[in-house]
Coordinates of all heavy atoms in Angstrom, one line a residue:
M101 N 91.5 97.7 121.6 CA 91.4 97.9 120.1 C 90.8 99.3 119.9 O 89.9 99.7 120.5 CB 90.7 96.9 119.4 CG 91.3 95.6 119.5 SD 90.6 94.3 118.4 CE 89.0 94.1 119.1
F102 N 91.5 100.0 118.9 CA 91.1 101.3 118.5 C 90.9 101.5 117.0 O 91.6 100.7 116.3 CB 92.1 102.4 118.9 CG 92.3 102.4 120.4 CD1 93.4 101.8 121.0 CD2 91.5 103.0 121.4 CE1 93.7 101.7 122.3 CE2 91.6 102.9 122.8 CZ 92.8 102.3 123.3
S103 N 89.9 102.3 116.6 CA 89.8 102.4 115.2 C 90.7 103.5 114.7 O 91.0 104.5 115.5 CB 88.4 102.7 114.8 OG 87.9 103.9 115.4
C104 N 91.0 103.7 113.4 CA 91.9 104.7 112.8 C 91.0 106.0 113.0 O 89.9 106.1 112.8 CB 92.1 104.4 111.4 SG 92.9 105.7 110.5
Q105 N 91.8 107.0 113.4 CA 91.1 108.3 113.7 C 90.7 109.0 112.4 O 89.8 109.8 112.4 CB 92.1 109.3 114.4 CG 92.2 108.8 115.9 CD 93.0 109.8 116.7 OE1 93.7 110.7 116.2 NE2 93.1 109.6 118.0
L106 N 91.3 108.7 111.2 CA 90.9 109.3 110.0 C 89.8 108.6 109.3 O 88.8 109.1 109.0 CB 92.1 109.5 109.1 CG 92.0 110.2 107.7 CD1 91.5 111.6 108.0 CD2 93.3 110.3 107.1
C107 N 90.1 107.3 108.9 CA 89.1 106.6 108.1 C 88.0 105.9 109.0 O 86.9 105.6 108.5 CB 89.7 105.5 107.1 SG 90.5 104.2 108.0
E108 N 88.3 105.6 110.2 CA 87.5 104.9 111.2 C 87.1 103.5 110.7 O 86.0 103.1 111.1 CB 86.3 105.8 111.5 CG 86.6 107.1 112.2 CD 85.4 108.0 112.3 OE1 84.4 107.8 111.8 OE2 85.6 109.0 113.0
N109 N 87.7 102.9 109.7 CA 87.5 101.7 109.2 C 88.3 100.5 109.8 O 87.9 99.5 110.0 CB 87.4 101.6 107.7 CG 86.3 102.4 107.1 OD1 85.2 102.6 107.7 ND2 86.6 103.0 106.0
E110 N 89.6 100.8 109.9 CA 90.5 99.8 110.3 C 90.9 99.8 111.8 O 90.8 101.0 112.3 CB 91.9 100.0 109.5 CG 91.6 99.6 108.0 CD 93.0 99.4 107.3 OE1 93.9 98.9 107.9 OE2 92.9 99.8 106.1
T111 N 91.2 98.8 112.4 CA 91.6 98.8 113.7 C 93.1 98.9 113.8 O 93.9 98.4 113.1 CB 91.3 97.3 114.3 OG1 89.9 97.1 114.1 CG2 91.6 97.2 115.7
C112 N 93.6 99.8 114.7 CA 94.9 100.1 115.0 C 95.3 99.8 116.4 O 94.6 100.2 117.4 CB 95.1 101.7 114.8 SG 94.6 102.3 113.2
Y113 N 96.4 99.1 116.6 CA 96.9 98.7 117.8 C 97.9 99.6 118.4 O 98.0 99.8 119.6 CB 97.4 97.2 117.8 CG 96.3 96.2 117.4 CD1 96.2 95.7 116.0 CD2 95.4 95.8 118.3 CE1 95.2 94.8 115.7 CE2 94.4 94.9 117.9 CZ 94.3 94.4 116.7 OH 93.3 93.5 116.2
W114 N 98.8 100.0 117.5 CA 100.0 100.8 118.1 C 100.0 102.2 117.5 O 101.0 102.9 118.0 CB 101.3 100.1 117.6 CG 101.5 98.7 118.1 CD1 101.9 98.4 119.4 CD2 101.2 97.5 117.5 NE1 101.9 97.1 119.6 CE2 101.4 96.5 118.5 CE3 100.7 97.1 116.2 CZ2 101.3 95.1 118.1 CZ3 100.6 95.8 115.9 CH2 100.9 94.8 116.9
S115 N 99.1 102.6 116.8 CA 99.1 104.0 116.2 C 97.7 104.5 116.2 O 96.8 103.7 116.3 CB 99.7 103.9 114.8 OG 99.7 105.1 114.3
N116 N 97.6 105.8 115.9 CA 96.2 106.4 115.8 C 95.8 106.2 114.4 O 94.5 106.4 114.1 CB 96.3 107.8 116.1 CG 96.6 108.1 117.6 OD1 96.3 107.2 118.4 ND2 97.2 109.2 118.0
L117 N 96.7 106.0 113.4 CA 96.3 105.9 112.1 C 96.6 104.5 111.4 O 97.7 103.9 111.7 CB 97.0 106.9 111.2 CG 96.8 108.4 111.6 CD1 97.7 109.3 110.8 CD2 95.3 108.8 111.3
C118 N 95.8 104.0 110.5 CA 96.1 102.8 109.8 C 97.2 103.1 108.7 O 97.5 104.3 108.5 CB 94.9 102.3 109.2 SG 94.2 103.3 107.7
P119 N 97.8 102.1 108.0 CA 98.8 102.4 107.2 C 98.5 103.2 106.0 O 99.2 104.1 105.5 CB 99.2 100.9 106.7 CG 98.9 100.0 107.8 CD 97.6 100.7 108.4
S120 N 97.2 103.1 105.5 CA 96.8 103.9 104.3 C 96.7 105.4 104.8 O 97.1 106.4 104.1 CB 95.4 103.4 103.9 OG 95.6 102.2 103.3
C121 N 96.1 105.6 105.9 CA 96.0 107.0 106.3 C 97.4 107.6 106.7 O 97.5 108.8 106.5 CB 95.0 107.1 107.5 SG 93.3 106.6 107.0
R122 N 98.2 106.8 107.3 CA 99.5 107.2 107.6 C 100.3 107.8 106.3 O 101.0 108.7 106.3 CB 100.4 106.0 108.3 CG 101.4 106.6 109.2 CD 102.1 105.6 110.1 NE 101.2 104.6 110.6 CZ 101.2 103.4 110.5 NH1 102.2 102.8 109.7 NH2 100.3 102.5 111.1
K123 N 100.0 107.0 105.2 CA 100.6 107.4 104.0 C 100.0 108.8 103.5 O 100.8 109.6 103.0 CB 100.3 106.3 102.9 CG 100.9 106.5 101.6 CD 100.7 105.2 100.7 CE 101.5 105.3 99.4 NZ 101.2 104.0 98.5
V124 N 98.7 109.0 103.6 CA 98.2 110.2 103.3 C 98.8 111.4 104.2 O 99.2 112.5 103.7 CB 96.6 110.3 103.5 CG1 96.0 111.7 103.3 CG2 96.0 109.3 102.5
K125 N 98.9 111.1 105.5 CA 99.5 112.1 106.3 C 101.1 112.4 106.0 O 101.5 113.6 106.1 CB 99.6 111.5 107.9 CG 100.1 112.5 108.7 CD 100.1 112.0 110.2 CE 100.7 113.0 111.1 NZ 100.8 112.6 112.5
H126 N 101.7 111.4 105.5 CA 103.1 111.5 105.0 C 103.1 112.5 103.8 O 103.9 113.4 103.7 CB 103.7 110.1 104.6 CG 105.1 110.3 104.0 ND1 106.2 110.6 104.8 CD2 105.5 110.1 102.7 CE1 107.3 110.7 104.0 NE2 106.8 110.3 102.7
Y127 N 102.1 112.3 102.8 CA 102.1 113.1 101.7 C 101.7 114.6 102.2 O 102.4 115.5 101.5 CB 100.9 112.6 100.8 CG 101.3 111.4 100.0 CD1 100.2 110.5 99.7 CD2 102.6 111.1 99.6 CE1 100.5 109.3 99.0 CE2 102.8 110.0 98.8 CZ 101.8 109.1 98.6 OH 102.1 107.8 98.0
M128 N 100.9 114.7 103.2 CA 100.7 116.1 103.6 C 101.8 116.7 104.2 O 102.1 117.9 104.1 CB 99.5 116.1 104.6 CG 98.2 115.7 104.0 SD 96.8 115.4 105.1 CE 96.8 116.8 106.1
S129 N 102.7 115.9 104.9 CA 103.9 116.5 105.4 C 105.0 116.8 104.4 O 105.8 117.7 104.6 CB 104.5 115.6 106.5 OG 105.0 114.4 105.9
C130 N 105.0 116.0 103.2 CA 106.0 116.2 102.2 C 105.6 117.4 101.3 O 106.5 118.2 100.9 CB 106.0 115.0 101.3 SG 106.9 113.6 102.1
F131 N 104.4 117.6 101.1 CA 103.9 118.6 100.2 C 103.2 119.8 100.9 O 103.9 120.8 101.1 CB 103.1 118.1 99.0 CG 103.7 116.9 98.2 CD1 103.4 115.7 98.5 CD2 104.6 117.3 97.4 CE1 104.0 114.6 97.8 CE2 105.2 116.4 96.5 CZ 104.9 114.9 96.8
S132 N 102.1 119.7 101.3 CA 101.3 120.5 102.2 C 100.0 120.0 102.1 O 99.5 119.4 101.2 CB 101.4 121.9 101.7 OG 100.5 122.1 100.6
R133 N 99.2 120.4 103.2 CA 97.9 119.9 103.3 C 97.0 120.5 102.1 O 96.2 119.7 101.5 CB 97.2 120.3 104.7 CG 95.8 119.9 104.9 CD 95.2 120.4 106.0 NE 95.0 121.8 105.8 CZ 94.8 122.8 106.7 NH1 94.8 122.3 108.0 NH2 94.7 124.0 106.4
D134 N 97.2 121.8 101.9 CA 96.5 122.4 100.8 C 96.8 121.7 99.5 O 95.8 121.5 98.7 CB 96.8 123.8 100.8 CG 96.4 124.6 102.0 OD1 95.4 124.1 102.7 OD2 96.9 125.6 102.2
R135 N 98.0 121.4 99.2 CA 98.3 120.7 97.9 C 97.7 119.4 97.8 O 97.1 119.0 96.7 CB 99.9 120.7 97.8 CG 100.4 119.9 96.5 CD 100.0 120.8 95.2 NE 100.4 120.0 94.1 CZ 99.7 120.0 93.0 NH1 98.6 120.6 92.8 NH2 100.2 119.3 91.9
V136 N 97.7 118.6 98.9 CA 97.2 117.2 98.8 C 95.6 117.3 98.6 O 95.0 116.6 97.8 CB 97.5 116.5 100.1 CG1 96.7 115.2 100.2 CG2 99.0 116.2 100.2
V137 N 95.0 118.3 99.3 CA 93.5 118.5 99.1 C 93.3 118.9 97.7 O 92.3 118.5 97.1 CB 93.0 119.5 100.2 CG1 91.6 119.8 99.8 CG2 93.1 118.8 101.6
E138 N 94.0 119.8 97.2 CA 93.8 120.3 95.8 C 94.0 119.1 94.8 O 93.1 119.1 93.9 CB 94.9 121.3 95.4 CG 94.9 121.9 94.1 CD 96.0 122.8 93.8 OE1 96.6 123.4 94.6 OE2 96.2 123.0 92.6
V139 N 95.0 118.3 94.9 CA 95.2 117.2 94.1 C 94.0 116.2 94.2 O 93.5 115.7 93.2 CB 96.4 116.4 94.3 CG1 96.5 115.0 93.6 CG2 97.7 117.3 93.9
L140 N 93.5 116.0 95.4 CA 92.4 115.0 95.6 C 91.1 115.6 94.9 O 90.4 114.9 94.3 CB 92.2 114.8 97.1 CG 93.2 113.9 97.8 CD1 93.0 114.0 99.3 CD2 93.3 112.5 97.3
D141 N 91.0 116.9 95.1 CA 89.7 117.6 94.5 C 89.8 117.5 93.0 O 88.8 117.2 92.3 CB 89.7 119.0 94.9 CG 89.1 119.1 96.3 OD1 88.5 118.2 96.8 OD2 89.4 120.2 96.9
Q142 N 91.0 117.7 92.4 CA 91.2 117.7 90.9 C 90.9 116.2 90.4 O 90.3 116.1 89.3 CB 92.5 118.1 90.5 CG 92.6 119.6 90.7 CD 94.0 120.2 90.4 OE1 94.9 119.3 90.0 NE2 94.3 121.4 90.4
V143 N 91.4 115.3 91.1 CA 91.4 113.9 90.6 C 90.1 113.2 91.0 O 89.5 112.5 90.1 CB 92.6 113.1 91.2 CG1 92.5 111.7 90.8 CG2 93.9 113.7 90.7
L144 N 89.7 113.4 92.1 CA 88.5 112.5 92.6 C 87.1 113.2 92.6 O 86.1 112.6 92.4 CB 88.7 112.1 94.1 CG 89.9 111.3 94.3 CD1 90.1 111.0 95.8 CD2 89.9 109.9 93.6
A145 N 87.1 114.6 92.6 CA 85.9 115.3 92.6 C 85.6 115.9 91.3 O 86.6 116.4 90.7 CB 85.8 116.4 93.7
R146 N 84.3 115.9 90.9 CA 84.0 116.6 89.6 C 83.7 118.0 89.9 O 83.1 118.4 90.8 CB 82.7 116.0 89.1 CG 82.8 114.6 88.6 CD 81.4 114.1 88.1 NE 81.4 112.8 87.7 CZ 81.4 112.4 86.4 NH1 81.3 113.3 85.4 NH2 81.3 111.3 85.9
S147 N 84.1 118.8 89.0 CA 83.9 120.3 89.0 C 82.4 120.5 88.7 O 81.7 119.6 88.1 CB 84.7 121.0 88.0 OG 84.4 120.8 86.7
E148 N 81.9 121.7 88.9 CA 80.5 122.0 88.8 C 80.2 121.9 87.2 O 79.1 121.4 86.8 CB 80.2 123.4 89.2 CG 80.0 123.4 90.7 CD 79.4 124.8 91.1 OE1 78.6 125.4 90.4 OE2 79.9 125.3 92.2
Q149 N 81.2 122.3 86.4 CA 81.0 122.2 84.9 C 80.9 120.8 84.5 O 80.0 120.4 83.7 CB 82.2 122.9 84.3 CG 82.0 122.8 82.7 CD 83.3 123.4 82.1 OE1 84.3 123.7 82.7 NE2 83.2 123.6 80.7
K150 N 81.6 119.9 85.0 CA 81.7 118.5 84.7 C 80.4 117.8 85.2 O 79.8 116.9 84.5 CB 82.9 117.8 85.2 CG 84.1 118.1 84.4 CD 85.3 117.2 84.9 CE 86.6 117.5 84.1 NZ 87.7 116.7 84.5
Q151 N 79.9 118.3 86.4 CA 78.7 117.7 86.9 C 77.5 118.2 86.0 O 76.6 117.3 85.7 CB 78.4 118.4 88.3 CG 79.3 117.8 89.4 CD 79.1 118.5 90.8 OE1 78.2 119.3 90.9 NE2 80.0 118.2 91.7
D152 N 77.5 119.4 85.6 CA 76.5 119.8 84.6 C 76.4 119.1 83.4 O 75.4 118.7 82.8 CB 76.6 121.4 84.4 CG 76.3 122.2 85.7 OD1 75.6 121.7 86.5 OD2 76.8 123.4 85.6
M153 N 77.7 118.9 82.8 CA 77.8 118.1 81.5 C 77.3 116.7 81.8 O 76.5 116.2 80.9 CB 79.3 118.1 81.1 CG 79.7 119.5 80.6 SD 81.5 119.5 80.2 CE 81.7 118.1 79.2
K154 N 77.5 116.1 82.9 CA 77.0 114.7 83.2 C 75.5 114.7 83.3 O 74.9 113.8 82.7 CB 77.7 114.2 84.4 CG 77.3 112.8 84.9 CD 77.8 111.8 83.8 CE 77.5 110.5 84.3 NZ 77.8 109.4 83.4
I155 N 75.0 115.7 83.9 CA 73.6 115.8 84.1 C 72.8 115.9 82.7 O 71.9 115.2 82.3 CB 73.2 117.0 85.0 CG1 73.5 116.6 86.4 CG2 71.7 117.3 84.9 CD1 73.4 117.9 87.3
E156 N 73.4 116.8 81.9 CA 72.9 117.0 80.5 C 73.0 115.7 79.6 O 72.1 115.4 79.0 CB 73.6 118.2 79.7 CG 73.3 119.6 80.3 CD 74.1 120.6 79.7 OE1 74.7 120.5 78.6 OE2 74.2 121.7 80.3
L157 N 74.1 115.1 79.8 CA 74.3 113.8 79.0 C 73.2 112.7 79.4 O 72.6 112.1 78.6 CB 75.7 113.3 79.3 CG 76.0 111.8 78.7 CD1 76.0 112.0 77.1 CD2 77.4 111.4 79.1
E158 N 73.0 112.6 80.7 CA 72.0 111.7 81.3 C 70.7 112.1 80.8 O 69.9 111.2 80.5 CB 72.1 111.5 82.8 CG 73.4 110.9 83.3 CD 73.6 109.5 82.8 OE1 72.6 108.8 82.7 OE2 74.7 109.2 82.5
I159 N 70.3 113.4 80.8 CA 69.1 113.8 80.4 C 68.8 113.5 78.9 O 67.8 113.0 78.5 CB 68.8 115.4 80.7 CG1 68.8 115.5 82.1 CG2 67.6 115.9 79.9 CD1 68.6 116.9 82.6
R160 N 69.9 113.7 78.1 CA 69.8 113.5 76.7 C 69.6 111.9 76.5 O 68.8 111.5 75.6 CB 71.1 113.9 76.0 CG 70.9 115.4 75.5 CD 72.1 115.8 74.7 NE 72.9 116.8 75.5 CZ 74.3 116.6 75.6 NH1 74.9 115.6 75.1 NH2 74.9 117.5 76.3
K161 N 70.3 111.1 77.2 CA 70.2 109.7 77.1 C 68.7 109.3 77.4 O 68.1 108.5 76.7 CB 71.1 109.0 78.1 CG 72.5 109.0 77.5 CD 73.4 108.1 78.6 CE 74.8 108.1 78.3 NZ 75.5 107.3 79.3
E162 N 68.1 109.9 78.5 CA 66.8 109.4 78.9 C 65.8 110.0 77.9 O 64.8 109.2 77.5 CB 66.5 110.1 80.2 CG 65.2 109.7 80.8 CD 65.0 110.2 82.3 OE1 66.0 110.4 83.0 OE2 63.8 110.5 82.5
I163 N 65.9 111.2 77.3 CA 65.1 111.6 76.2 C 65.1 110.7 75.0 O 64.0 110.4 74.3 CB 65.4 113.1 75.8 CG1 65.1 114.0 77.0 CG2 64.7 113.5 74.5 CD1 65.5 115.5 76.8
A164 N 66.3 110.4 74.6 CA 66.5 109.5 73.4 C 65.8 108.1 73.7 O 65.1 107.6 72.8 CB 68.0 109.3 73.1
K165 N 65.9 107.6 74.8 CA 65.3 106.3 75.2 C 63.7 106.4 75.2 O 63.1 105.6 74.5 CB 65.7 105.9 76.6 CG 65.2 104.6 77.1 CD 65.6 104.3 78.5 CE 65.0 103.0 79.0 NZ 65.3 102.7 80.3
K166 N 63.3 107.6 75.7 CA 61.7 107.7 75.6 C 61.3 107.9 74.2 O 60.2 107.3 73.8 CB 61.3 109.0 76.4 CG 61.8 108.9 77.9 CD 60.6 108.6 78.7 CE 61.0 108.7 80.1 NZ 60.2 108.0 81.0
E167 N 62.1 108.7 73.3 CA 61.7 108.8 71.9 C 61.6 107.4 71.2 O 60.8 107.2 70.4 CB 62.6 109.7 71.3 CG 62.5 111.2 71.6 CD 63.6 112.1 71.1 OE1 64.6 111.7 70.6 OE2 63.4 113.3 71.1
N168 N 62.7 106.6 71.5 CA 62.7 105.3 70.9 C 61.5 104.5 71.3 O 60.9 103.7 70.5 CB 64.0 104.6 71.2 CG 65.2 105.2 70.5 OD1 65.1 105.8 69.5 ND2 66.4 104.9 71.1
E169 N 61.1 104.5 72.5 CA 59.9 103.9 73.0 C 58.7 104.3 72.3 O 57.8 103.5 72.0 CB 59.7 104.0 74.5 CG 60.9 103.3 75.4 CD 60.8 103.5 76.8 OE1 59.9 104.3 77.3 OE2 61.6 103.0 77.6
L170 N 58.6 105.7 72.2 CA 57.3 106.3 71.4 C 57.3 105.8 70.0 O 56.2 105.5 69.5 CB 57.4 107.7 71.5 CG 57.0 108.3 72.9 CD1 57.3 109.8 72.9 CD2 55.6 107.9 73.3
I171 N 58.4 105.8 69.3 CA 58.5 105.3 68.0 C 58.1 103.9 67.8 O 57.3 103.5 66.9 CB 60.0 105.5 67.4 CG1 60.3 107.0 67.3 CG2 60.1 104.9 66.1 CD1 61.6 107.4 66.9
K172 N 58.5 103.1 68.8 CA 58.2 101.6 68.8 C 56.7 101.4 68.9 O 56.0 100.7 68.3 CB 59.0 100.8 69.8 CG 60.5 100.7 69.4 CD 61.2 99.8 70.6 CE 62.7 99.8 70.2 NZ 63.3 99.1 71.3
K173 N 56.1 102.3 69.8 CA 54.8 102.1 70.1 C 53.9 102.6 69.0 O 52.9 101.9 68.6 CB 54.4 103.0 71.3 CG 54.7 102.4 72.7 CD 54.2 103.3 73.8 CE 54.6 102.7 75.1 NZ 54.2 103.5 76.3
K174 N 54.3 103.7 68.2 CA 53.6 104.1 67.1 C 53.7 103.1 66.0 O 52.7 102.9 65.3 CB 54.2 105.4 66.6 CG 53.8 106.6 67.4 CD 54.4 107.9 66.9 CE 54.1 109.1 67.8 NZ 54.7 110.3 67.3
K175 N 54.8 102.4 65.8 CA 55.0 101.4 64.8 C 54.1 100.2 65.1 O 53.4 99.7 64.2 CB 56.4 101.0 64.6 CG 57.4 101.9 64.0 CD 58.7 101.4 63.8 CE 59.7 102.4 63.2 NZ 61.1 101.8 63.1
S176 N 54.0 99.8 66.3 CA 53.2 98.7 66.7 C 51.7 99.1 66.5 O 50.9 98.2 66.1 CB 53.5 98.2 68.1 OG 53.1 99.1 69.1
K177 N 51.4 100.3 66.9 CA 50.0 100.6 66.7 C 49.6 100.7 65.1 O 48.5 100.3 64.8 CB 49.7 102.0 67.3 CG 49.6 102.0 68.8 CD 49.3 103.4 69.4 CE 49.1 103.4 70.8 NZ 48.9 104.7 71.4
S178 N 50.5 101.2 64.3 CA 50.2 101.2 62.9 C 50.1 99.9 62.3 O 49.3 99.5 61.5 CB 51.2 102.1 62.2 OG 52.5 101.5 62.3
L179 N 50.9 98.9 62.8 CA 50.8 97.5 62.3 C 49.5 96.9 62.7 O 48.9 96.1 61.9 CB 51.9 96.7 62.9 CG 53.4 97.0 62.4 CD1 54.4 96.2 63.1 CD2 53.4 96.7 60.8
V180 N 49.0 97.2 64.0 CA 47.7 96.6 64.4 C 46.6 97.2 63.6 O 45.7 96.5 63.2 CB 47.6 97.0 66.0 CG1 46.2 96.7 66.3 CG2 48.6 96.1 66.8
A181 N 46.8 98.5 63.3 CA 45.6 99.2 62.5 C 45.6 98.5 61.2 O 44.5 98.3 60.6 CB 46.0 100.6 62.4
K182 N 46.7 98.2 60.5 CA 46.8 97.7 59.2 C 46.2 96.3 59.2 O 45.6 95.8 58.3 CB 48.3 97.6 58.7 CG 48.8 98.9 58.2 CD 50.1 98.9 57.7 CE 50.8 100.2 57.3 NZ 52.2 100.1 56.8
V183 N 46.5 95.5 60.3 CA 45.9 94.1 60.4 C 44.5 94.2 60.5 O 43.7 93.3 60.0 CB 46.6 93.4 61.6 CG1 45.9 92.1 61.9 CG2 48.1 93.2 61.3
I184 N 43.9 95.1 61.3 CA 42.4 95.3 61.5 C 41.8 95.6 60.1 O 40.7 95.2 59.9 CB 42.1 96.3 62.6 CG1 42.7 95.9 64.0 CG2 40.8 96.7 62.7 CD1 42.6 96.8 65.0
E185 N 42.4 96.5 59.3 CA 41.8 96.8 58.1 C 41.7 95.7 57.1 O 41.0 95.1 56.6 CB 42.6 97.9 57.3 CG 42.6 99.2 58.1 CD 43.6 100.2 57.5 OE1 44.3 99.9 56.5 OE2 43.6 101.3 58.0

């Protein structure tokens, strides 16, 4: 028994590639290796600009969450102070 030479996940008995990887190889022979890689990069990988936007979004979410927590703490402290008075 041999594993697929590309994905190394599936067992292959009669070929070097599993059916899924054979399909990728077929696409590469139909179009070109460069075109297939380009399409995969465009569809599956985030560009640096999109990565930066995602980082900024996550940072903004975290800041908003912390601000909400601080507001809640201030409100609860003010309620406790009023009760003490």
Side-chain angles (χ1 to χ4, degrees):
M101 293 191 292
F102 303 100
S103 62
C104 174
Q105 289 184 348
L106 184 59
C107 70
E108 299 177 349
N109 288 331
E110 292 195 33
T111 303
C112 303
Y113 296 102
W114 296 282
S115 174
N116 293 334
L117 300 173
C118 67
S120 298
C121 293
R122 207 170 318 120
K123 190 173 186 178
V124 172
K125 183 179 178 187
H126 175 72
Y127 289 142
M128 289 171 53
S129 67
C130 290
F131 301 102
S132 75
R133 182 189 69 198
D134 294 336
R135 177 65 180 143
V136 171
V137 170
E138 178 186 341
V139 169
L140 290 173
D141 283 342
Q142 288 176 354
V143 173
L144 298 177
R146 289 181 183 257
S147 67
E148 284 187 39
Q149 181 183 9
K150 287 184 178 180
Q151 290 175 7
D152 292 340
M153 288 172 52
K154 180 66 174 179
I155 290 169
E156 288 176 21
L157 175 67
E158 292 300 320
I159 289 172
R160 276 190 247 126
K161 284 182 183 177
E162 189 172 326
I163 289 171
K165 182 179 176 184
K166 300 253 184 203
E167 286 175 344
N168 287 338
E169 289 174 2
L170 287 173
I171 291 170
K172 287 179 184 177
K173 284 183 182 179
K174 286 181 182 179
K175 285 182 180 178
S176 66
K177 284 183 181 179
S178 65
L179 288 175
V180 170
K182 287 181 183 179
V183 170
I184 294 175
E185 292 173 358

